[in-house]
Amino acid sequence: MSLNIASLWCTIPARKRWYWCRLISYWIWSASGTIQSYVCNLCAAAKRSSFGQAALKTEKGLQKLMGLKVYMDAGLNDLDVIEAVEPYTGRVFEIRRHWIQQPVVLKALALTTTSISNAQPGGSDTKVITQAVERFTSLRVKQRLEDTLGMPALPLSMKKLIALRSDPIAGIDDLVPLVRVDPSLAAQVMSWAASPYYAAPTDVQSVDDAVVRVLGFDLVLNLALGVAMGQTLAVPDDTPREGVPFWQQAVYTAALCELLCKKVPVAVRPKLGMVYLAGLLHNFGYLVLAHVFPSYFSLLSRYIEANPHMPSEYIEQQVLNVTREQIGSWLLDSWSLPDKVCEAVRHQQDPNYQGDAQQEVGLLYIASRLLRSKGLGDGPEEEIPSALFKRLQISREDADEALEKIVENRTELEALVNSIAPAKAS
């Protein structure tokens, strides 16, 4: 039996003399960009059994293991100590380079975030998306990218919601009639108002009650808009295993963004509605990727599964040459969503972003990292820069308090998730 030691991605500087790597990986990109499949004839249960042996918890046992033929990334060859992660059992152990006595098969098996970024095409998001469509789909590129992607037409009700969101003087008197004439939307608004999370003081008897006394203009408009936009595209079936469901992540992120926004001093606080909507739509590009690149979406899901330590934007760049943030914000902008919402969705992974929507971006960044720490959001756990809290004028204690409120209200939030998304799509 051969043991393939393959480092799919490297994010740790070599000077630290250790390296995170994954054993028995699913897929590996070679330096030429082709895909190699390393097939191991052990099933997952057998792998867990093999690496769970007591002998492998000792240095002697590990040395014996390293007596097998080893495939190793060329970048590891000069390191004295390799820190390895075995994904089936979660074992983390150190390998001394001198333990490996057999001839080592050195390959270019690893890609760093820097090497991925450097290989990406330059230009505007529109140009990057167009190039990705040309390369990875059979769609005929037309003069307008909107026509090329073949996105579903927006329902009239959604166009009216977008118009209201963009109108600075719109109010409840404009929204309530729009909700009343749409039976589906009216039913959802009544359901949201009855949700324990919003704690209606008395029974909600009408749409007017729901909007005026319980939810308010901004919340109804943003929930309705976010749900309507999300439902224009289907939630894909072949998502990464053990990932957080789309609508759960959307609702939790929006709710936490709202709580964090309330911690910002009033004098510099961004508009609560914009922050909530950015949170609700932060992962919209994920649905767009599945719609535009269906043939590659399963492969993308497998790569995300195999690389839980790697931020999704780098995996998407490597597989598709475009990220969910790029294509999602572009489409939201083409649909005339507010600029700050589009900007927040586009730059949500950048804690150092400076621009008109830097507050919305910062709050969205913090919310996503806090949720990841509780297993309520997808992506690797990452430290939140202290400078970001300082820039937003909130404390880490404020953020932890907001997160704890989300955790305490999970039951109520799950009820809200279920009222928004059909069972199949949640």
Side-chain angles (χ1 to χ4, degrees):
M1 179 186 75
S2 295
L3 174 66
N4 300 320
I5 298 182
S7 151
L8 288 185
W9 318 98
C10 169
T11 56
I12 307 299
R15 66 178 181 274
K16 293 188 176 180
R17 312 308 294 163
W18 56 278
Y19 203 108
W20 283 95
C21 63
R22 298 198 60 110
L23 301 178
I24 312 192
S25 56
Y26 300 100
W27 296 94
I28 300 164
W29 282 93
S30 72
S32 64
T34 59
I35 300 173
Q36 299 176 2
S37 172
Y38 281 80
V39 181
C40 182
N41 58 9
L42 292 174
C43 67
K47 292 170 186 173
R48 281 191 290 270
S49 175
S50 297
F51 286 96
Q53 294 178 63
L56 292 183
K57 296 180 182 179
T58 67
E59 184 173 302
K60 184 178 179 180
L62 288 173
Q63 288 188 54
K64 187 174 181 180
L65 178 67
M66 291 302 106
L68 300 172
K69 188 175 182 180
V70 172
Y71 290 83
M72 187 164 68
D73 184 82
L76 305 179
N77 197 39
D78 295 330
L79 301 184
D80 300 320
V81 179
I82 301 168
E83 186 166 281
V85 180
E86 195 289 298
Y88 289 93
T89 62
R91 284 283 313 283
V92 178
F93 49 90
E94 288 188 346
I95 299 170
R96 305 287 172 178
R97 183 63 179 83
H98 67 268
W99 292 353
I100 305 174
Q101 300 298 325
Q102 295 283 343
V104 176
V105 179
L106 294 176
K107 298 283 185 180
L109 304 177
L111 291 174
T112 66
T113 54
T114 301
S115 65
I116 292 172
S117 295
N118 290 341
Q120 298 309 303
S124 67
D125 283 352
T126 300
K127 181 180 178 181
V128 168
I129 296 167
T130 301
Q131 290 176 339
V133 169
E134 289 177 323
R135 180 176 178 184
F136 296 106
T137 77
S138 59
L139 296 173
R140 185 171 64 85
V141 176
K142 302 176 183 177
Q143 186 171 359
R144 296 174 70 249
L145 184 55
E146 297 93 318
D147 299 331
T148 300
L149 299 184
M151 303 304 297
L154 294 182
L156 179 60
S157 59
M158 194 159 89
K159 291 179 179 178
K160 292 180 178 178
L161 289 172
I162 292 173
L164 283 184
R165 180 70 282 173
S166 302
D167 184 350
I169 62 172
I172 286 177
D173 290 342
D174 303 296
L175 177 61
V176 170
L178 180 58
V179 174
R180 281 203 204 107
V181 299
D182 186 329
S184 175
L185 179 56
Q188 282 199 311
V189 169
M190 294 292 287
S191 175
W192 300 334
S195 167
Y197 183 71
Y198 294 112
T202 57
D203 289 342
V204 178
Q205 302 294 332
S206 66
V207 168
D208 297 63
D209 278 350
V211 178
V212 177
R213 293 197 302 108
V214 182
L215 301 172
F217 172 82
D218 264 347
L219 184 57
V220 171
L221 180 55
N222 291 324
L223 269 173
L225 190 54
V227 172
M229 298 194 73
Q231 291 181 346
T232 59
L233 300 171
V235 176
D237 292 325
D238 193 7
T239 57
R241 288 181 283 268
E242 299 184 8
V244 180
F246 176 84
W247 282 111
Q248 179 182 330
Q249 204 161 179
V251 169
Y252 278 48
T253 303
L256 184 52
C257 281
E258 180 183 43
L259 293 176
L260 291 170
C261 188
K262 290 178 179 178
K263 301 288 187 181
V264 177
V266 174
V268 293
R269 183 182 298 167
K271 290 185 177 179
L272 200 61
M274 294 297 180
V275 173
Y276 187 94
L277 185 57
L280 198 60
L281 294 174
H282 81 282
N283 207 25
F284 181 66
Y286 183 67
L287 303 185
V288 184
L289 287 180
H291 175 83
V292 177
F293 305 101
S295 299
Y296 287 83
F297 194 78
S298 178
L299 177 63
L300 177 62
S301 294
R302 303 294 79 76
Y303 265 93
I304 291 173
E305 288 171 3
N307 295 275
H309 60 293
M310 173 66 71
S312 62
E313 61 266 30
Y314 293 104
I315 303 175
E316 290 161 2
Q317 284 178 341
Q318 178 62 23
V319 177
L320 297 172
N321 293 158
V322 67
T323 70
R324 67 187 71 185
E325 290 81 20
Q326 287 176 304
I327 201 166
S329 62
W330 171 85
L331 186 58
L332 294 177
D333 180 64
S334 73
W335 283 347
S336 301
L337 267 290
D339 290 343
K340 287 195 174 183
V341 172
C342 301
E343 204 171 324
V345 170
R346 174 63 182 88
H347 299 286
Q348 61 182 289
Q349 308 299 346
D350 182 4
N352 302 311
Y353 174 73
Q354 299 289 318
D356 290 341
Q358 63 187 30
Q359 286 181 297
E360 291 83 355
V361 169
L363 291 169
L364 189 48
Y365 183 93
I366 291 174
S368 64
R369 272 60 186 178
L370 290 174
L371 290 171
R372 292 177 190 180
S373 72
K374 296 293 185 181
L376 300 175
D378 289 334
E381 292 191 31
E382 298 173 329
E383 287 295 322
I384 302 172
S386 57
L388 183 55
F389 288 112
K390 184 176 181 180
R391 190 162 70 243
L392 292 170
Q393 299 184 43
I394 60 177
S395 67
R396 178 66 200 230
E397 292 72 24
D398 287 335
D400 290 338
E401 182 181 313
L403 177 62
E404 189 57 36
K405 186 171 182 180
I406 292 295
V407 173
E408 290 173 357
N409 288 280
R410 284 192 66 178
T411 301
E412 292 81 2
L413 284 168
E414 286 298 329
L416 183 60
V417 171
N418 293 333
S419 74
I420 289 175
K424 184 173 181 261
S426 63

